[in-house]
Amino acid sequence: VGVGRADCTGPVAQVPLVTRSGTNPLTLGQTCPGRCARRSRGLSTHGGAPLLQMGYANPEQVGGGLLSRLYSRAFIVADPQRSKRLVFVSADIGMVSQRLRLEVLQQLRSKYGGLYGQDNVILSGTHTHSGPGGYFQYTLFWITSKGLIRPALSSIVNGIVKSIDIAHENMKRGRLFINRGTVENSQINRSPFSYLKNPESERNRYSSNTDKEMVVLKMVDEDGHELGLISWFAVHPVSMNNSNHLVNSDNVGYASYLFEQEKNKGMLPGEGSFVAAFASSNLGDVSSNTRGPFCASTGESCDNPQSSCPVGGAAMCMAQGPGKDMFESTRIIGQNLYLKAKELYEEASQEVTGPLSSAHQWVNMSDVSVELNATHRVKTCKPALGHSFAAGTIDGVGAFNFTQGSVEGDPFWDQIRDQLLGEPSNETKACHKPKPILFSTGEMTWPHPWHPDIVDVQIAAIGSLAILAVPGEFTTMSGRRLREAVKSEFDSHGTRGMNVVIAGLCNVYTHYITTYEEYQVQRYEAASTIYGPHTLSAYIQLYRGLAKAINATEELPRGPEPPLFNVTTLTLLPALGVESAPANKNFGDVLEEVRQEYRETEHNFLTVEKYSSISSSWRAVLNDASWDTRFYWSKGSRGQSNVTIEWHIPAGAEPGVYRLRYFGHYKKRLLLLGTVTVPFEGSSSAFHVAAP
C-alpha cells in the first residue's frame, strides 16, 4: 500500500470557479465577522491569468482569495504476487475532465511505462464548487470558465501526478480494513418530487430518500502503523454557496483537514504522512444544505415541484445550511463527516483480502443499444440539455424565468436558440422526450464538440471491495440500482458478499444520471441527464459487462479512444499587466495594522507565526491551508491590487506573541526584458493573544 498527498490549488484570484449549472449572479459583501486578526497590503497574488471557480457556473463568481488549499490524495494498492496495481485518486476539484485525465495518463506513461494506465487508474473529484475552472476541452464548459486556462489545468495535472509519485515511492506491505455506518443530519434530497416518481415498492425498501451510509477503507502497514483512509459518502459539497469567492475544498475538504490534523500532530496542513480522502459518491440529488429551500423574498418554504416562490419565482428559492453562515455550515457538515469516519476507522475490523483486478472500457454513450427485456430494445441519445438545466437547483439558482420541472419548451428561448445555435434535429427531440431541449450539444461542434461522446466506464476490485468509477452524478436511486445490479452480477459468478461502492465524478464529466421515472419529471438533474431517458439502463448494462470481465467470464473490447483536441490555451481572460504600489507605499507595506492584543474568545501565501522567547525566533503555526485563515484578493485601479489576510482566532488558541506574514509576487516592466515577476514579502507588527 502507498499513500500520497500533493497541492493542486493553482491560481486563486480572478479565475472562474467550477462550471456546472447556469445560475443567477449573486454577490454579497464579505467582511471579517466578529473580531479577527486582519491586515491588508498592496500586492499581486499569482502572476497568472484571473480564475473562475468551478461549480455554480455563476459568471460573477470569480476567485478572490483562498480559504483552504486544494489537494490531490492518491492511494496505490498492489498485489505483488500477481503484479497487479490499482491507483485511486480523490482530488479537491469539481470533477475530473477528460482533458485532465488524458494529460495525467500521458505523464504517468512517460514516467512509469505501462505500470499505470487507463485500466488501473481511477481519478475522482470531490465535487467542491469552490475550485478553479478552466480545465475542460469541450466547448460548453468554456462559456462560464472563459476558455481552457492552462495554469489551472497544469496545477491540477501536476498535483495529481505528484501525489501518485509520492504514493509510489512510499509503497510498503500493508493491510486493508472496511467498515460502514450511518451519517445523520448531514444531507437532504433536493429533488424529493422526482424521487417520489420511483416505484413505491422500490422506495419502501429504503428508510430514506438519500443514502446515509458511509463506507470507510482503512489502510495500515504490516506493523499496524496508520497510513490513511478513503471515505465514500453521498453529499454535495455546497455548504459554501455561490456568493463565495474564496478557493476552498468545502465540507468534505474540511473533514479531510480535521482527520489529517489529528493524525499528523504538530504538522501544518498539507504536511505529514497520514492521508485522509473524503471522496464523492452518488450525490446527484443530495444537498448539504439541511434546512432546505426558503424564499429569500418572504422567508417561507419553497419545497414545491418547481422550487419557485410567489414573489420572485425560482430565482428566490435557495437552500440553507445548518449554520448561521456558509463558513459555519461548512464546519458543521464537515465535522459530522469527520466524526463518523473517525468512529468507523477506529472500529474497522473486517479485513479486505483477495485478488486485485480492474476492468475499463471506452464507450460511445451517444449510441448505446440497451436491452430492457427479451422483446424491447432502446438507445441512448446524442447529448442535449433541457430547459430546466438553466433553472439551476436550490443549491445554486438559475437565471431569467427558467424553472425546474419544465416538460414544455419556451417559444421565446427556443427562438433565440434556433437563431444563435441552430434548432435540434427531430431525431434528437424525439430521443430525449419528454425533455424540451434547450441546447442540443451533441449536434454542436464549433470550435470543438460541446459535449463528450466517448466516456470511460470502470470497475476496480480489491478483494471483497468493488469500486464503481462513474463519469458523473448519479442520483440516490440511480446509484442504488447500479450497485444492486453489479452486486447481483458478482453473486451470479460465485463472488458473493462484495462491498460495492460508487466513486463519483470520475475520469470524464457527463453531468447527471437519473432513473427513467425521475427523468419524466424534468427537474434540474433530469434536464442534465445528457444522453436521454435510458442513460441509467445503459450504464447498468455496461457495468454488468465490466463485472463479468473481472470475473473472467467475458472478453471486454477496449472501445473507441477519446479525442485529445489540439488546444493548449484558449482563454477570454484578460492578460495580467504591470502592477504598481499605491502612492507613497512599497510592495509589502502594511495598509491596515493589527491591534496590539486579541483575546482568544474574539474570535504558500501567508503564515501565522508565534514567537518563542526560548529560541528568540518565529515559528509558523498556521498557513494558507489552515481553515482558520482567510486570504482575500481584490483588483484595484491603475495596476494596483490589495490582499486582506485574516486569522479567525479559535477558542483555545495558545496565548503568546504572534505576527502575520505575506509572501507575494508583482510584475515589473524592464526595458529590454519586458515584464518580469518579482517576489516580495511583508509582515505585520507583533500582537498578543491573551487568555480570556
Side-chain angles (χ1 to χ4, degrees):
V1 178
V3 302
R5 176 187 53 250
D7 192 313
C8 63
T9 306
V12 301
Q14 282 191 289
V15 177
L17 302 186
V18 182
T19 353
R20 184 177 59 89
S21 62
T23 57
N24 201 30
L26 173 66
T27 304
L28 303 179
Q30 292 177 314
T31 60
C32 185
R35 288 177 283 184
C36 52
R38 175 175 179 159
R39 69 191 177 113
S40 302
R41 42 176 73 258
L43 62 33
S44 164
T45 60
H46 52 89
L51 214 40
L52 284 157
Q53 285 178 307
M54 184 71 198
Y56 296 106
N58 179 351
E60 300 294 318
Q61 192 184 15
V62 298
L66 185 68
L67 174 60
S68 68
R69 288 208 166 255
L70 309 180
Y71 292 101
S72 170
R73 295 174 172 90
F75 305 83
I76 302 177
V77 180
D79 181 350
Q81 293 180 338
R82 300 174 63 236
S83 300
K84 294 276 189 177
R85 289 193 176 216
L86 168 69
V87 178
F88 181 84
V89 171
S90 177
D92 291 331
I93 57 176
M95 59 283 290
V96 174
S97 75
Q98 190 173 81
R99 178 82 186 202
L100 170 61
R101 175 168 166 83
L102 292 175
E103 291 200 14
V104 167
L105 292 177
Q106 279 184 342
Q107 287 202 24
L108 293 177
R109 192 178 306 115
S110 67
K111 285 189 171 190
Y112 301 105
L115 188 62
Y116 303 122
Q118 73 270 5
D119 292 337
N120 66 346
V121 174
I122 296 174
L123 306 181
S124 175
T126 62
H127 205 38
T128 176
H129 286 45
S130 297
Y135 56 93
F136 291 79
Q137 67 173 1
Y138 290 96
T139 304
L140 178 77
F141 305 106
W142 292 357
I143 296 172
T144 49
S145 287
K146 298 187 178 180
L148 190 151
I149 303 169
R150 174 48 66 177
L153 174 59
S154 294
S155 296
I156 302 171
V157 170
N158 294 338
I160 289 174
V161 172
K162 184 176 180 180
S163 69
I164 295 173
D165 289 341
I166 295 169
H168 177 84
E169 292 163 4
N170 289 282
M171 296 290 287
K172 56 187 67 176
R173 296 192 67 84
R175 303 171 69 189
L176 307 178
F177 298 87
I178 193 168
N179 202 2
R180 53 182 72 232
T182 301
V183 182
E184 299 289 355
N185 305 316
S186 300
Q187 50 170 205
I188 62 169
N189 192 305
R190 70 184 186 189
S191 284
F193 299 96
S194 298
Y195 181 88
L196 287 172
K197 292 299 180 181
N198 293 307
E200 183 178 7
S201 59
E202 183 179 33
R203 289 185 281 112
N204 287 342
R205 294 166 49 201
Y206 304 98
S207 60
S208 172
N209 61 4
T210 61
D211 277 340
K212 294 180 178 292
E213 186 175 71
M214 173 184 284
V215 177
V216 168
L217 184 66
K218 175 180 180 177
M219 303 180 182
V220 299
D221 68 16
E222 60 182 346
D223 297 320
H225 297 137
E226 298 176 308
L227 300 177
L229 74 94
I230 307 172
S231 162
W232 288 278
F233 181 67
V235 68
H236 254 83
V238 287
S239 293
M240 299 296 292
N241 61 42
N242 66 358
S243 68
N244 167 58
H245 293 273
L246 299 181
V247 168
N248 70 88
S249 51
D250 213 285
N251 47 48
V252 292
Y254 185 59
S256 288
Y257 167 83
L258 291 175
F259 216 123
E260 291 179 349
Q261 285 296 97
E262 179 194 338
K263 296 297 183 182
N264 299 316
K265 290 192 183 300
M267 308 293 282
L268 289 171
E271 298 178 354
S273 60
F274 188 92
V275 179
F278 283 73
S280 59
S281 191
N282 55 315
L283 47 67
D285 53 358
V286 187
S287 172
S288 52
N289 290 312
T290 53
R291 283 197 282 168
F294 290 87
C295 296
S297 50
T298 65
E300 62 185 298
S301 172
C302 48
D303 190 12
N304 56 61
Q306 281 72 45
S307 297
S308 185
C309 296
V311 179
M316 289 289 107
C317 184
M318 306 175 201
Q320 301 174 11
K324 67 178 184 295
D325 59 25
M326 59 184 171
F327 297 99
E328 186 177 59
S329 292
T330 300
R331 287 183 180 271
I332 291 171
I333 300 299
Q335 186 158 25
N336 287 350
L337 302 182
Y338 155 70
L339 290 173
K340 175 54 68 172
K342 179 182 177 182
E343 173 193 323
L344 296 174
Y345 178 88
E346 291 173 349
E347 297 176 356
S349 59
Q350 179 186 346
E351 187 163 5
V352 177
T353 60
L356 194 66
S357 55
S358 59
H360 170 275
Q361 190 176 33
W362 285 306
V363 179
N364 183 353
M365 275 302 295
S366 65
D367 188 26
V368 177
S369 179
V370 184
E371 185 177 344
L372 294 182
N373 52 50
T375 60
H376 194 189
R377 296 188 74 87
V378 293
K379 286 186 67 175
T380 55
C381 314
K382 290 182 179 179
L385 293 161
H387 275 247
S388 293
F389 163 77
T393 74
I394 60 173
D395 292 325
V397 296
F400 306 110
N401 61 339
F402 292 99
T403 60
Q404 295 200 64
S406 298
V407 291
E408 294 182 2
D410 183 300
F412 174 75
W413 292 113
D414 287 347
Q415 185 175 11
I416 290 177
R417 174 206 62 204
D418 294 349
Q419 292 177 352
L420 293 178
L421 302 172
E423 183 179 0
S425 67
N426 290 333
E427 178 187 4
T428 298
K429 288 180 182 178
C431 189
H432 279 271
K433 280 187 177 180
K435 177 195 293 180
I437 294 175
L438 182 63
F439 300 122
S440 185
T441 53
E443 299 175 313
M444 297 158 66
T445 58
W446 188 88
H448 292 287
W450 281 49
H451 262 146
D453 288 325
I454 310 304
V455 172
D456 297 72
V457 292
Q458 187 174 19
I459 294 180
I462 309 170
S464 58
L465 172 66
I467 303 169
L468 315 187
V470 300
E473 304 177 55
F474 278 61
T475 61
T476 299
M477 195 63 87
S478 291
R480 287 169 176 170
R481 291 184 189 178
L482 179 64
R483 284 198 305 264
E484 190 173 73
V486 171
K487 191 174 189 306
S488 173
E489 195 66 49
F490 275 109
D491 287 346
S492 68
H493 295 286
T495 313
R496 299 189 176 275
M498 291 291 285
N499 295 282
V500 180
V501 299
I502 288 176
L505 291 306
C506 290
N507 300 336
V508 56
Y509 186 59
T510 64
H511 298 260
Y512 285 74
I513 300 92
T514 65
T515 67
Y516 177 83
E517 294 83 358
E518 292 164 350
Y519 189 90
Q520 308 308 307
V521 184
Q522 280 300 298
R523 281 178 60 87
Y524 172 81
E525 295 82 11
S528 305
T529 299
I530 62 174
Y531 300 114
H534 302 292
T535 301
L536 175 60
S537 297
Y539 278 126
I540 288 175
Q541 178 175 288
L542 290 166
Y543 280 86
R544 277 185 175 273
L546 294 172
K548 290 176 181 176
I550 282 179
N551 284 281
T553 61
E554 188 173 286
E555 189 69 26
L556 197 65
R558 176 186 174 94
E561 193 164 340
L564 182 64
F565 299 135
N566 185 24
V567 52
T568 54
T569 297
L570 189 150
T571 178
L572 301 177
L573 295 174
L576 193 63
V578 176
E579 292 159 305
S580 58
N584 302 317
K585 293 285 185 180
N586 295 315
F587 285 102
D589 285 352
V590 174
L591 300 181
E592 180 185 340
E593 258 297 359
V594 297
R595 301 203 308 271
Q596 291 302 305
E597 183 173 299
Y598 293 85
R599 295 189 179 274
E600 67 173 51
T601 52
E602 302 175 338
H603 49 118
N604 249 338
F605 292 109
L606 68 93
T607 55
V608 177
E609 299 180 345
K610 188 173 186 294
Y611 185 74
S612 170
S613 57
I614 298 175
S615 62
S616 300
S617 62
W618 294 93
R619 179 176 63 88
V621 293
L622 297 172
N623 59 15
D624 59 17
S626 304
W627 278 81
D628 292 324
T629 62
R630 296 178 193 171
F631 174 89
Y632 293 93
W633 181 92
S634 61
K635 188 167 183 62
S637 59
R638 294 178 297 178
Q640 297 177 6
S641 55
N642 288 336
V643 148
T644 300
I645 292 172
E646 298 176 0
W647 174 29
H648 292 249
I649 304 171
E654 184 178 355
V657 179
Y658 292 84
R659 70 179 182 183
L660 305 181
R661 291 187 73 194
Y662 170 69
F663 307 92
H665 296 79
Y666 69 93
K667 281 189 177 294
K668 181 179 181 179
R669 188 181 302 281
L670 300 179
L671 290 178
L672 298 178
L673 300 177
T675 59
V676 295
T677 300
V678 182
F680 67 92
E681 62 180 74
S683 173
S684 75
S685 59
F687 59 92
H688 286 81
V689 172

